[in-house]
Amino acid sequence: MPVVAMTVNGKPASADVEARTLLVHFIREHLGLTGTHVGCDTSQCGACVVHVDGRAVKSCAILAVQAEGADIVTVEGLAKNGELHPVQQAFREHHGLQCGFCTPGMIMTAVDLIRRKPNLDEKTVREELEGNICRCTGYHNIVKAILAASQAMR
Amino acid sequence: MSNAATGEGIGQPVRRKEDFRFITGNGHYTDDIARPRQTWAYFLRSPHAHAKIRKIDTRAAEAAPGVVAIFTGKHVADDGLGGLICGWTVSSKDGTPMKVGPHPILALDTVRYVGDHVAMVVAETLAEARSAAEMIDVDYETLPAAVALAACQSKEAPQVHPEAPRNTCFEWELGNKPETEAAFAKADKIVKLDLTNNRLIPNAMEPRAAIGEYDKGSGVYTLHTTSQNPHVARLVLSAFVGVAPEHKLRVIAPDVGGGFGSKIFIYAEETACVWAAAKVGRPIKWTADRSEAFLSDAHGRDHLSHAELALDKNGKFLALRVKTVANLGAYLSTFSASVPTYLYGTLLSGQYDIPAIYVEVDGVYTHTAPVDAYRGAGRPEATYLVERIVETAARETGIDPAEIRRRNFIRSFPHQTPVIMAYDAGDYEASLDAAMKAVDHKGFPARKAEAEKRGKLRGLGFSSYIEACGIAPSAAVGSLGAGVGLWESAEVRVNPTGNVEVLTGSHSHGQGHETTFAQLVASRLGIPMEQVEIVHGDTDKVQFGMGTYGSRSGAVGMSAIVKALDKIETKAKKIAAHLMEAAVEDIVFENGTFTVQGTDKSLPWAQLALSAYTAHGFPSAEIEPGLKEGAFYDPTNFTFPAGCHICEVEIDPDTGVTRIVNFVAVDDFGTIINPMIVEGQVHGGIAQGIGQALLEHGVYDPASGQLVTGSYMDYCMPRADDLPSFNLGFTKTVCPSNPLGMKGCGEAGAIASPPAIINAITDALGIRDIEMPATPARVWAAIQSRPRAAAAE
Amino acid sequence: MYQFNYARPKSLAEAEALLAKADDPKLLAGGQTLIPTLKQRLAMPSDLIDIGGLKELDFIRAEGNAVMIGAATKHATVAQSPDVKKHNPALAALAEGIGDPAVRHMGTIGGSIANNDPASDYPAACLALDAKIHTTKRLIEADEFFKGMFETALEDGEIVKEITFPHPEKAAYMKFPNPASRYAMVGVFVSKGPWGIRVAVTGAGQDGVFRVKEMEDALAKSWSPDAVASIKIPAKGLNADLHGTAEYRAHLITVMAKRAVAAAG
């Protein structure tokens, strides 16, 4: 079995894995970081979004071995020194989550979005969330939270 | 300390306690849990809608790498396990009980839908289990399938269960037939409408999952599962399936990622996992992938209806008669039979004073996945029917849609409808007025004209809805066929240091109980919310409970907490009276402090709590040590949330794309504990309603019975850019049937919104009806086939 | 997923050698279609040869009258490229509309065209912009490259290296996404350039991307939305499913073509 090594949330992580192991399963099962979720099997729901070398990627659509040597950030690595990331804060402040299952992927997508497009409007946020499905919130408060976070981070 | 001062009081938009773990990735959903030495289960499912199983050969699969065990229906039957049950019995017009075909955990000799469970493979890894499953050789004799609902009651239709001729499980009726016929006979106007309520697939984002375990030493089984009601699951698994005695079975529903009804039911997979855990002597874990969820989660809706409304010459409704054929799928699921009957027919009066109503519902088996409660459960179907035919009546009589509603609103309460329900409170005109104002009804003609200049079609649609929540009291539901009581339990445990654990039989899977319930308790006891812990979802901690569905947790679950808090206060006052050497009647409890009326004597909450446990000098005959009280609360009636939703759409006739340009929802939920959470519930409900009206459709191929919409490639989930921001408002009439005056808010959005949208689309296009979902292709086709006059408008 | 061997070659040459050696290999170039396919157990390659990270295939160069894009260039990179935005804004906009942001961060242009999903976007751009597809063995004209659903002119062991897009004078792509999958239900790319006028349609055809000669002729006479507005596309040969009939798709081709011409200016 190939040995795969990468940096996850700032720490080195490596394991022997089958080549067919998806990055999401490496993260969840080998590293025990279960904040990253699997909500579909067609790579559409976005519950599994993590950052690979600073960019949002669906960890269910990439093999762990493809991420060899990469710098991975998961939702667990977002808060720094016990302080929530502004996007995390905004999701709580604006009730951008209910059951919480899609939330890690939503938050990771939102952080990436704000990095790419600091000046957001509602239409852009809604379009950019095409790859993230939420069944609880109707997106209303997710959109509000992302807009608020982008303001706060300016 | 006052909770109003800290912003934590009732009515405050308190931020949620549970959010910290979810936004940091520290939630614990079932699939996040790994048990020592756990194995993985994979279910081999039927690829056919209907087939006899001639033979299952598992020999090659058993020898495959990593395989621990393989179970088939024969193993289950040999072990004497019962099948899955329907907990609600409905009777037909002729008095006979519904005709129920057996629902085995794993198929015995017949498979009845694509996805039906054929075998369970247990292996060291999921991949190994799945590979081994591919090696199981099943010899099927494929049979014709009954799929298209409209054709399934014919004599020629393939039979799903021999127990139910013409695939008819029940022929149910409600209302007064002679009175209804008489009213129709003297009507000035009869409006007729045929309606389809499209099949939906729930799609909670967390797929179902289970981990079954068995401890040989104690004989105790433990099941972690994605359940909205773990106690009901335990009861069914014990009393009916016979997995283990109730006191030897622990069911834990940890963080659950959405339910919308689909996680109420007791399914084959979790049953098989917990049962087989004892056989293999190791924990067994199963997590559905999304494709399995599509095939095997209970679906929702799926009605065909014919409705007729009788009116007098003034547009006053005289009578409503309805014939509905409801799809039950291949087997009765846990509450299937109640959904198209008592949760549907009883709401057909809507917000209107309709003197006579008669409804017939045929429950029909088909070779498709079981159909059961999905957000709203029966009530969206009723509301869709009522609000579509009322709108049609308005158009056919030429009476303004708002005016025809006003003329027929129920205005005095209590109001007994002809279909069981006794509405207790409401003000329907108030929500209609507020919604019309919010949508700028007066400005609509100008907006329509402006849109026309841009080549776009605008329409406005109303939905004045009512629903029944709480699903109670137990005596009432029992008389209607429920196999369970529908009360709720609560236990308040005050710890010696003054903080409080509240055990509830409700279950939160997104609704925010940990916050709302704590808000209630904290404000009652005058302590900070952080000192209140809401405990739920574990049968070892909470003694019994009925779970969360039907928007019942506020009205029923919180009422139980209020009742337990009443008892806590009674006992605490007794202790306070003893400690301060005063009469109990003189003790006042306010803002977390006990005082003796007319004196400066006082005792803070924390000190009283400690004293309750030190119990020094208690007169033991009068005061027991400790401070812990429980309560079971059975409401006196259903609750009746109601309101008005108005939708404004703009249609691009070139593509058929419908854009919702404004969606207004004005709801009366009675007392609101946390408006932020309530608004979130409404948003989510509306989104699912928009999904039903515009996007979502569970489709089976009528010939083969294959699920055509088996993934997000074909089942259209609402995305952020499909939806607008919503415009919400509230009116309030207090519910007289529970101590807090609450009505329930979880389903209103999904119940109210579909007819508002379809009324808006048919208004824009000038057509009578369009089938849901009104996809761009359907809207475009409707435009192509419009009468010339309408097209030229 | 079934088991497979995985290799990440350091050069194109090494990739070719690995490809020649393996039993039933597949190239992995981002994997945004391939990985989901493998997860569904719909393919069983013996080896995955990962060229998604090959630096020598990850480039965008504007030279002369064309933009050259390396096969392993990600959709997000194409969308953001100043060269593409300047010389071929329609192509940049198309790339910005592929899948979702996370997919655009992994998916590559080479992977997309080699897969030739009948509902993907790039084939329409290649065909409408007279693109040249450079492989390890030869140069293939876009007109010759796409051979029907999931079929291309690529031979075993042949790897796409680069796609050359000559600059258009005018171009635009209009997509009507499938409401569920968000892939193109109908995508129309119109262009005017040294090659004349081209109209390429993706998503709608049973055999993948195709050109619409009647529209090209009409636009050659008069480059205006009205020129295509009354052209009715025959429904024969178009897809039909629960999302729409062939007639609907035929109609959408006209609507999207009209809008694309309007957008191209």
Side-chain angles (χ1 to χ4, degrees), chain C residues 122-188:
Chain C
Y122 269 131
C126 291
L127 207 53
L129 293 169
D130 193 26
K132 323 287 171 198
I133 291 131
H134 303 264
T135 75
T136 44
K137 294 187 178 166
R138 57 194 161 138
L139 184 156
I140 310 174
E141 298 286 340
D143 267 333
E144 304 301 317
F145 186 83
F146 301 103
K147 296 284 184 194
M149 218 177 194
F150 297 106
E151 296 279 332
T152 66
L154 290 170
E155 292 163 3
D156 284 351
E158 189 171 12
I159 304 174
V160 176
K161 289 196 312 194
E162 171 191 316
I163 301 99
T164 304
F165 290 97
H167 301 335
E169 288 165 39
K170 290 167 186 280
Y173 178 62
M174 279 290 154
K175 171 158 70 171
F176 189 90
N178 176 309
S181 72
R182 300 301 183 97
Y183 277 84
M185 193 150 120
V186 169
V188 180

Side-chain angles (χ1 to χ4, degrees), chain B residues 396-418:
Chain B
E396 290 192 2
T397 57
I399 303 172
D400 175 80
E403 173 58 25
I404 201 168
R405 287 175 166 86
R406 286 182 210 279
R407 278 187 206 174
N408 289 282
F409 279 151
I410 292 163
R411 288 167 193 279
S412 69
F413 297 90
H415 173 87
Q416 178 64 51
T417 72

Side-chain angles (χ1 to χ4, degrees), chain C:
Chain C
M1 269 186 271
Y2 296 107
Q3 298 274 20
F4 49 75
N5 302 308
Y6 172 87
R8 199 201 285 195
K10 291 186 175 58
S11 68
L12 193 56
E14 191 190 342
E16 278 188 279
L18 287 166
L19 207 50
K21 219 167 55 183
D23 273 349
D24 183 16
K26 268 220 176 278
L27 291 168
L28 178 62
Q32 297 304 283
T33 308
L34 181 57
I35 301 287
T37 307
L38 296 175
K39 278 160 67 178
Q40 300 284 333
R41 296 195 168 198
L42 296 173
M44 202 163 43
S46 64
D47 293 75
L48 283 193
I49 297 160
D50 185 358
I51 57 170
L54 278 185
K55 287 276 168 276
E56 63 188 290
L57 297 183
D58 185 4
F59 60 84
I60 296 176
R61 284 195 304 265
E63 278 175 23
N65 292 320
V67 175
M68 283 70 130
I69 302 178
T73 308
K74 294 178 167 63
H75 307 325
T77 312
V78 174
Q80 296 309 315
S81 158
D83 283 332
V84 180
K85 281 180 165 174
K86 181 177 168 199
H87 299 293
N88 203 336
L91 184 65
L94 174 143
E96 179 69 16
I98 298 173
D100 57 55
V103 166
R104 294 195 286 273
H105 285 152
M106 281 303 292
T108 64
I109 187 168
S112 171
I113 67 162
N115 187 51
N116 192 20
D117 187 312
S120 64
D121 301 302
Y122 269 131
C126 291
L127 207 53
L129 293 169
D130 193 26
K132 323 287 171 198
I133 291 131
H134 303 264
T135 75
T136 44
K137 294 187 178 166
R138 57 194 161 138
L139 184 156
I140 310 174
E141 298 286 340
D143 267 333
E144 304 301 317
F145 186 83
F146 301 103
K147 296 284 184 194
M149 218 177 194
F150 297 106
E151 296 279 332
T152 66
L154 290 170
E155 292 163 3
D156 284 351
E158 189 171 12
I159 304 174
V160 176
K161 289 196 312 194
E162 171 191 316
I163 301 99
T164 304
F165 290 97
H167 301 335
E169 288 165 39
K170 290 167 186 280
Y173 178 62
M174 279 290 154
K175 171 158 70 171
F176 189 90
N178 176 309
S181 72
R182 300 301 183 97
Y183 277 84
M185 193 150 120
V186 169
V188 180
F189 203 117
V190 300
S191 75
K192 186 176 188 180
W195 51 82
I197 282 168
R198 288 191 175 204
V199 176
V201 177
T202 190
Q206 286 170 4
D207 293 323
V209 65
F210 63 91
R211 285 170 59 184
V212 185
K213 179 129 194 334
E214 199 186 346
M215 286 186 170
E216 293 177 356
D217 291 345
L219 289 170
K221 281 191 201 123
S222 157
W223 178 269
S224 73
D226 286 347
V228 293
S230 58
I231 295 176
K232 288 214 185 315
I233 304 295
K236 195 165 175 289
L238 300 186
N239 294 314
D241 57 22
L242 73 141
H243 305 290
T245 58
E247 289 71 25
Y248 179 56
R249 285 177 165 88
H251 168 78
L252 283 179
I253 292 172
T254 304
V255 175
M256 292 297 119
K258 196 172 76 176
R259 291 181 182 180
V261 174

Side-chain angles (χ1 to χ4, degrees), chain B residues 12-316:
Chain B
Q12 296 293 318
V14 179
R15 302 306 183 262
R16 298 203 318 173
K17 292 180 72 168
E18 47 271 80
D19 284 352
F20 285 113
R21 67 178 186 273
F22 295 136
I23 57 181
T24 56
N26 290 300
H28 290 292
Y29 301 89
T30 300
D31 190 54
D32 299 340
I33 295 163
R35 302 296 300 156
R37 298 182 66 242
Q38 77 185 12
T39 59
W40 287 85
Y42 181 80
F43 287 86
L44 179 68
R45 294 173 187 278
S46 170
H48 306 296
H50 189 199
K52 286 263 172 247
I53 298 175
R54 289 203 196 99
K55 198 175 160 221
I56 304 178
D57 185 349
T58 58
R59 283 170 300 179
E62 275 161 31
V67 170
V68 175
I70 297 177
F71 299 95
T72 64
K74 190 175 178 311
H75 296 106
V76 177
D78 288 352
D79 215 36
L81 230 56
L84 299 173
I85 59 141
C86 178
W88 198 301
T89 302
V90 164
S91 295
S92 289
K93 295 170 206 177
D94 63 6
T96 58
M98 62 189 191
K99 301 175 175 69
V100 185
H103 187 178
I105 310 295
L106 297 172
L108 259 178
D109 51 8
T110 308
V111 285
R112 293 187 172 85
Y113 67 98
V114 173
D116 205 354
H117 315 76
V118 175
M120 175 169 73
V121 180
V122 181
E124 299 292 341
T125 70
L126 178 58
E128 286 169 338
R130 189 167 172 177
S131 291
E134 289 176 3
M135 296 163 75
I136 297 176
D137 186 12
V138 185
D139 184 7
Y140 290 107
E141 177 191 342
T142 58
L143 300 167
V147 180
L149 181 58
C152 289
Q153 286 179 287
S154 79
K155 272 193 204 129
E156 297 74 35
Q159 288 294 292
V160 181
H161 296 285
E163 293 83 355
R166 293 187 302 109
N167 294 318
T168 304
C169 176
F170 53 79
E171 291 170 299
W172 179 84
E173 66 176 351
L174 184 67
N176 189 317
K177 190 175 181 182
E179 279 178 32
T180 304
E181 298 305 327
F184 269 88
K186 64 169 193 196
D188 293 302
K189 168 84 187 164
I190 296 174
V191 179
K192 300 179 181 181
L193 198 58
D194 288 301
L195 292 168
T196 301
N197 208 285
N198 45 321
R199 188 183 187 106
L200 302 177
I201 305 179
N203 275 298
M205 289 318 296
E206 179 207 22
R208 288 189 296 117
I211 308 172
E213 286 177 79
Y214 177 68
D215 180 69
K216 211 171 174 180
S218 61
V220 170
Y221 290 78
T222 302
L223 173 65
H224 283 84
T225 186
T226 49
S227 175
Q228 297 177 220
N229 44 349
H231 292 89
V232 177
R234 184 177 68 158
L235 176 62
V236 170
L237 291 173
S238 298
F240 297 96
V241 183
V243 168
E246 211 172 351
H247 66 300
K248 295 287 187 187
L249 175 59
R250 177 183 186 186
V251 178
I252 302 168
D255 286 329
V256 173
F260 315 111
S262 68
K263 293 171 182 169
I264 298 171
F265 322 122
I266 291 84
Y267 289 91
E269 292 90 351
E270 63 259 27
T271 308
C273 282
V274 69
W275 164 74
K279 308 282 170 214
V280 303
R282 291 169 64 182
I284 300 176
K285 180 171 183 174
W286 168 77
T287 300
D289 60 31
R290 183 57 58 186
S291 301
E292 285 184 282
F294 270 104
L295 291 174
S296 67
D297 289 1
H299 296 180
R301 318 278 194 262
D302 207 347
H303 286 193
L304 297 174
S305 292
H306 175 76
E308 299 186 1
L309 181 66
L311 299 91
D312 72 9
K313 60 181 188 303
N314 299 317
K316 177 81 190 66

Side-chain angles (χ1 to χ4, degrees), chain B residues 619-677:
Chain B
S620 54
E622 289 159 41
I623 308 177
E624 281 180 27
L627 194 52
K628 178 186 93 166
E629 297 289 347
F632 287 77
Y633 173 76
D634 204 348
T636 56
N637 193 356
F638 285 77
T639 70
F640 298 96
C644 180
H645 290 202
I646 302 181
C647 176
E648 186 167 332
V649 299
E650 185 170 298
I651 293 168
D652 176 354
D654 281 348
T655 58
V657 169
T658 301
R659 202 164 59 86
I660 295 177
V661 290
N662 197 358
F663 197 101
V664 168
V666 177
D667 297 293
D668 175 0
F669 297 138
T671 304
I672 287 173
I673 306 289
N674 185 323
M676 177 190 81
I677 286 176

